[in-house]
Amino acid sequence: MSALSKAYSALLPVLLGMSLYNLSLTSPSIFSSLTTDPLSLIHDPDFLGVSSLCLLLGLILGSLLSPSPSPSPPSSKKWSSKVVYPISKIDACTSDKDKFVVMFETLKQQMLTHMKENHEMPPEACRWVGDMIQYNVIGGKLNRGITVLAVQRTLKSAKKGKNVKLTSEEIARASVLGWSIEWLQAFFLVADDVMDDSQTRRGQPCWYKRPEVGMIAINDSFLLESFIYTMLKIHFGGEEYYGRLRDLFLEVTQQTEFGQLLDLTSQPQGGPIDLNRFTETRYKQIVKYKTAFYTFYLPIAIGMITSGVTSERAYELAKKICCIMGEYFQIQDDYLDCYGKPEDIGKRHNIAHLK
């Protein structure tokens, strides 16, 4: 018998004695029956409550004192080994964009399978999410996602000292990361359209403007974000850099939400417009946090992490350059939002509140 088992055996009578003593003080009638006619207590609800409490205490004590089973050794099997990539379809494509697009359907089906098999979601819920993903994730230029492939190819070539191609599996895995950014973009856009009362996005009604959707779109945006971390875990959970990859997405998401906060609070809510609050300094903060980090820095940093870059100086330099590029990009985007034709830019905003 182990030392813990001996301690448990020694403490059990003490626990029982304490319970009986407490019973004699709080419920003398039950204590009297226990010593004279114990069978009569079977039908006494008060006794059943007390005995259940004693049993619970015993189980808790037993669980605390019983030796814990030896932990299973960590599995060396990588998460990615569970995944079958559409290699033949990727090989049949010639451009990066076509190879990238091939992975979308695979990832969408993985998320729906995850809902069904791991979270007991009914067919109706899976159909809703499938339609929602198709409507909101597809339709953009995909520049953010495809950039991940370009970065990985560039860094691989730099290591080899010559131009090299990514293998089909490397393309597939880089595409997973690229689509994770596109999922993040969809999350931001679905929520942003609600906050801005926008009418169209990518040439079609905003998701929340569909009559069957409405404010369900808010929860849908949360789902889009959550799927990012499901994809990362499925495909990269066994990699040493998985934690850094996950933390990068969390940090960039928070930075983007800070930018959205600065944007939404740049004017008083429900009051007259105050242009004195909208300074150049604040505008640069908005575009840096709302756009630059997730549009330019995120795909670059992802490629660096998965390519084994560890120099913090390299990451800081990349961030500095990407933020400058992001600033110019967002200035152009804001100009087009203001002066561009909806049929050309694919977006229509509700500007009635500005008139």
Side-chain angles (χ1 to χ4, degrees):
M1 182 180 292
S2 67
L4 284 174
S5 298
K6 290 179 180 178
Y8 180 39
S9 300
L11 282 173
L12 194 56
V14 176
L15 177 65
L16 181 58
M18 291 173 61
S19 300
L20 290 173
Y21 177 70
N22 184 63
L23 188 64
S24 68
L25 297 177
T26 58
S27 303
S29 60
I30 294 179
F31 182 76
S32 176
S33 298
L34 184 64
T35 56
T36 58
D37 187 12
L39 292 179
S40 65
L41 293 174
I42 294 176
H43 304 291
D44 190 322
D46 291 334
F47 175 72
L48 292 177
V50 173
S51 60
S52 298
L53 179 60
C54 291
L55 177 61
L56 178 61
L57 289 172
L59 290 173
I60 293 173
L61 183 62
S63 66
L64 291 174
L65 294 177
S66 298
S68 301
S70 300
S72 301
S75 174
S76 59
K77 187 177 182 181
K78 295 184 182 298
W79 281 81
S80 58
S81 63
K82 301 178 182 179
V83 179
V84 177
Y85 295 110
I87 299 298
S88 60
K89 292 183 179 180
I90 291 174
D91 290 340
C93 299
T94 55
S95 69
D96 276 356
K97 185 172 184 178
D98 290 340
K99 293 174 186 289
F100 181 72
V101 169
V102 163
M103 281 298 299
F104 171 76
E105 190 63 30
T106 297
L107 293 172
K108 185 180 79 170
Q109 291 304 321
Q110 283 178 357
M111 296 306 99
L112 300 181
T113 300
H114 169 74
M115 290 178 62
K116 178 182 177 181
E117 296 184 356
N118 297 336
H119 297 290
E120 305 174 308
M121 289 294 100
E124 178 187 1
C126 294
R127 282 194 300 271
W128 176 279
V129 169
D131 292 343
M132 182 268 293
I133 291 174
Q134 191 74 34
Y135 194 91
N136 293 291
V137 178
I138 287 289
K141 295 182 287 293
L142 307 179
N143 290 335
R144 296 169 181 83
I146 297 172
T147 298
V148 178
L149 277 69
V151 173
Q152 288 206 339
R153 184 187 302 110
T154 300
L155 293 177
K156 183 178 180 180
S157 297
K159 282 184 177 181
K160 299 288 186 180
K162 59 180 180 180
N163 289 332
V164 295
K165 295 181 179 180
L166 297 175
T167 66
S168 297
E169 183 169 343
E170 287 173 336
I171 290 172
R173 285 167 62 77
S175 296
V176 173
L177 295 168
W179 278 114
S180 296
I181 302 177
E182 296 297 330
W183 248 265
L184 182 66
Q185 160 86 336
F187 154 55
F188 289 147
L189 295 185
V190 169
D192 185 68
D193 286 342
V194 175
M195 289 182 266
D196 289 349
D197 193 24
S198 297
Q199 304 300 304
T200 62
R201 170 72 66 178
R202 294 170 175 170
Q204 60 185 0
C206 296
W207 178 243
Y208 84 100
K209 281 295 183 181
R210 291 174 63 98
E212 74 277 18
V213 179
M215 290 300 104
I216 299 175
I218 296 174
N219 189 66
D220 288 339
S221 71
F222 298 157
L223 287 173
L224 288 168
E225 182 193 21
S226 71
F227 286 136
I228 295 167
Y229 301 98
T230 304
M231 287 189 283
L232 292 179
K233 189 171 184 179
I234 289 174
H235 293 269
F236 299 94
E239 302 292 348
E240 291 183 1
Y241 54 72
Y242 167 63
R244 181 160 192 172
L245 206 56
R246 181 193 58 213
D247 289 347
L248 174 65
F249 270 92
L250 289 169
E251 180 182 27
V252 169
T253 299
Q254 187 178 70
Q255 288 168 328
T256 308
E257 289 164 351
F258 285 153
Q260 182 75 342
L261 173 67
L262 293 174
D263 189 4
L264 293 171
T265 58
S266 62
Q267 292 298 307
Q269 299 300 301
I273 294 175
D274 181 5
L275 295 180
N276 291 323
R277 296 177 55 173
F278 196 74
T279 63
E280 183 178 350
T281 299
R282 187 182 184 96
Y283 177 71
K284 286 188 174 183
Q285 277 188 309
I286 291 172
V287 299
K288 175 181 178 180
Y289 279 87
K290 187 176 178 179
T291 300
F293 285 113
Y294 93 92
T295 298
F296 289 91
Y297 177 65
L298 180 57
I300 301 297
I302 286 174
M304 293 170 68
I305 290 172
T306 54
S307 297
V309 177
T310 57
S311 169
E312 292 303 322
R313 184 174 177 274
Y315 285 98
E316 288 302 317
L317 181 59
K319 185 182 296 184
K320 182 178 181 180
I321 296 171
C322 288
C323 284
I324 295 172
M325 295 172 65
E327 181 178 324
Y328 280 99
F329 170 84
Q330 190 59 46
I331 289 172
Q332 181 188 56
D333 190 69
D334 288 343
Y335 181 88
L336 292 174
D337 278 352
C338 187
Y339 299 106
K341 297 179 180 179
E343 56 269 25
D344 293 334
I345 65 175
K347 293 185 285 185
R348 184 185 298 275
H349 299 288
N350 184 359
I351 60 173
H353 62 287
L354 297 178
K355 295 180 179 179

